[in-house]
């Protein structure tokens, strides 16, 4: 059983960088072939896949966010992180970390394991 917990600031100013961390319990980044991902949901809109980091450290990003998104991991801490640069109010959303063995499930925002989500508001 994989459990995930997001952490990070709930308020970010426009033009700054949004940084979130996901702590993983019960899953190993390097010995189990999961894809670890970030998904967000703006108010009144559907889920949006942002990017993933694989068990081997490889990354993939949504084309619409690729220029502003970076996902990394710290295997010693059992964590993976999201950085989104140059944020605007349109980046206000609930941000989820999630995981699945299937990259297809991850990319289609249907992964098996989810964190509870964290609200991030972009406002001055």
């Amino acid at each position: 059983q994989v459990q995930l917990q997001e952490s990070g600031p709930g308020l970010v100013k426009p033009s700054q960088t949004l940084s979130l961390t996901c702590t993983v319990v019960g899953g190993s980044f390097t010995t189990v072939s999961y894809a670890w991902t970030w998904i967000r949901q703006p108010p009144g809109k559907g889920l949006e896949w942002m990017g993933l980091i694989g068990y081997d450290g490889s990354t993939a990003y949504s084309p619409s966010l690729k220029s502003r998104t970076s996902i990394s991991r710290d295997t010693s801490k059992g964590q993976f992180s999201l950085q989104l640069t140059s944020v605007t109010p349109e980046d206000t959303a609930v941000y989820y970390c999630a995981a699945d063995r299937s990259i297809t499930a991850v990319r289609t925002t249907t992964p098996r394991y989810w964190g509870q989500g964290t609200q991030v508001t972009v406002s001055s």
Side-chain angles (χ1 to χ4, degrees), residues 79-90:
Q79 296 176 332
F80 65 104
S81 298
L82 169 73
Q83 288 199 320
L84 183 66
T85 63
S86 304
V87 297
T88 72
E90 285 67 41

Side-chain angles (χ1 to χ4, degrees), residues 2 4 9 12 19 22 35 39-40 43 48 60 63 80-81 83 95 97 105 108 112 122 124:
V2 176
L4 306 108
V12 183
S19 296
C22 184
I39 293 168
R40 69 180 183 179
E48 179 183 20
F80 65 104
S81 298
Q83 288 199 320
Y95 286 76
C97 60
T108 56
R112 179 176 182 181
V122 179
S124 56

Side-chain angles (χ1 to χ4, degrees), residues 5 15 20 22 33 52 55 64-65 87 95 98 100 102 107 113:
Q5 178 64 58
S15 80
L20 297 174
C22 184
S33 57
L52 66 86
Y55 71 99
S64 64
L65 295 171
V87 297
Y95 286 76
D100 198 291
S102 166
R107 287 180 177 267
Y113 301 107

Side-chain angles (χ1 to χ4, degrees), residues 3-26:
Q3 294 179 316
L4 306 108
Q5 178 64 58
E6 305 89 350
S7 60
L11 180 64
V12 183
K13 294 183 178 180
S15 80
Q16 293 188 340
T17 296
L18 181 161
S19 296
L20 297 174
T21 296
C22 184
T23 301
V24 181
V25 179

